[in-house]
Amino acid sequence: MKKIKVWRTPPRVICFANIFAARFFGLAAVFILALMSRPALAKDAKLAVEVPAEQGVEIFEEKDFPQESKHKSYSHPYRWNKLQGQPARFKEIWGYLVTNRLKDFEPDAPLTDLALFGVDIDSYGKLESAPKRNLTAGFKGRVHLVAVCNSASTSHFVLDPKYGLRSELIKDLVFAAREFDGLQIDYELIPQKDGENFLEFLKTLRRRLDGKQLTVCVPARVKSFSTDVYDYKKIAAVCDKVMIMAYDEHWSTSGPGSVASVKWCKRIVDYALSVLPAEKYIIGAPFYGRSWIDRSLAQAWYFNGANRIMHENDVKQLRRKDGVPYFEYEAKAKVTLWFDDATSLLQRARMYQEAGFDKIAFWRLGMEDAVFWDWIKPLSASE
């Protein structure tokens, strides 16, 4: 048989090729990382991002509001409110009060209901120690205990009956709510597969509460979808009132914008009223705002990038702690902060009133422009 000669690549050539490939791809990776890790530009570069003028934005100057207003709750005067007309009126005006911020309760606020926040579930599926009603001593209206759970795994653990914790949790919640006028369930991360378990939990809880009001918090919706565990109609069938958390249109990791623009809230209203009548709802409104920065400087660095930043920012001082070097420099950034004042709060409240909602709730007390309390009033029994 004729032997076939097979040509083999000499080991030296293979070695050279491997070294070349490693260096080539290594340099490419460093180049890509360098592009990705440029949080700070040279000192003479423009850091603010140019944003096109937004349609529908009103621009006000100090000369448009020459008079500064003072209020006992203000640390500084505020000039930007323009309030006129009649106050907004609601049958129920709820305020959320956090137990470690009791001083934020304004005794003169025209509230009919306080929602005391709250009682959570521990890692073993047991109810934690609940706050007592006497924390709100002196308040003449109704006080509700708010039960929270912001863990998907814990929610599944306590709602799925196969783990044997649901009945005990219901028993503990009923006991915790004994001093209160009502109980509110604010479980915000219920897994999709536990939708029916959640409804059964609420149904049993309402029966055991023996006449005390059960309200349930649901996220804002502008349309329905088949996999929604917070189906408004299904939840309304097993509780007394549905509290819509009509906020977080924009959030910490989204682009800048209002926490709850009036236009967006109107879409929530339209959808909610297509599902249930207004009297079945409490509509939630935010007192808080959010800020955004146009660049993030928090990240991991490799040496060459850190060295480049030192040169670009003319760093003259290097410090070491326990032998490890660090330096400091200042970088400009543009901050955008959206918030609510009495003017925007009143505009949103009036929109809800005109839509037929007679119950409103504010998250949370202590965050508000206190002037707003002069512009919202409870309906009298005769109205």
Side-chain angles (χ1 to χ4, degrees), residues 151-358:
S151 163
S153 56
T154 303
S155 296
H156 171 65
F157 192 41
V158 299
L159 292 176
D160 192 325
K162 74 179 182 182
Y163 297 110
L165 294 171
R166 191 167 77 186
S167 296
E168 194 66 23
L169 176 61
I170 290 172
K171 179 182 174 182
D172 290 346
L173 284 168
V174 171
F175 182 79
R178 70 194 184 282
E179 301 175 340
F180 294 85
D181 298 293
L183 176 68
Q184 183 169 100
I185 299 298
D186 183 12
Y187 291 2
E188 299 186 18
L189 292 175
I190 298 170
Q192 183 181 325
K193 67 180 293 184
D194 286 306
E196 290 301 319
N197 291 332
F198 183 50
L199 292 174
E200 282 299 317
F201 164 76
L202 294 175
K203 185 178 180 180
T204 306
L205 183 58
R206 187 187 190 189
R207 188 172 63 249
R208 299 278 179 83
L209 282 171
D210 195 25
K212 289 183 184 292
Q213 187 177 94
L214 175 64
T215 57
V216 179
C217 294
V218 296
R221 295 284 188 256
V222 296
K223 62 180 181 180
S224 59
F225 50 95
S226 59
T227 58
D228 193 2
V229 299
Y230 299 100
D231 183 291
Y232 288 9
K233 185 172 287 188
K234 289 180 180 179
I235 289 176
V238 293
C239 71
D240 295 290
K241 295 289 184 295
V242 175
M243 206 295 281
I244 303 174
M245 297 180 288
Y247 29 82
D248 286 338
E249 177 185 8
H250 297 87
W251 56 97
S252 58
T253 56
S254 77
S258 173
V259 171
S261 68
V262 174
K263 187 175 180 180
W264 181 70
C265 290
K266 181 63 169 62
R267 294 176 63 202
I268 295 169
V269 163
D270 291 342
Y271 170 71
L273 294 179
S274 74
V275 178
L276 295 165
E279 57 265 23
K280 194 67 176 180
Y281 294 111
I282 305 166
I283 189 73
F287 275 154
Y288 62 94
R290 289 191 189 280
S291 64
W292 289 262
I293 191 168
D294 69 337
R295 59 185 59 252
S296 173
L297 300 179
Q299 66 180 76
W301 287 92
Y302 56 92
F303 169 79
N304 210 36
N307 189 32
R308 170 178 57 79
I309 292 301
M310 291 182 70
H311 284 275
E312 288 181 349
N313 291 276
D314 199 25
V315 173
K316 300 295 186 186
Q317 184 182 68
L318 183 76
R319 303 175 185 179
R320 290 183 185 272
K321 184 174 182 179
D322 296 329
V324 181
Y326 71 97
F327 60 89
E328 296 176 345
Y329 70 98
E330 293 185 1
K332 293 181 181 178
K334 183 176 74 173
V335 177
T336 303
L337 197 156
W338 288 72
F339 68 107
D340 275 298
D341 60 9
T343 301
S344 60
L345 289 169
L346 180 59
Q347 183 181 0
R348 193 182 296 119
R350 282 174 172 165
M351 185 270 290
Y352 290 141
Q353 177 186 314
E354 290 167 5
F357 289 85
D358 62 359

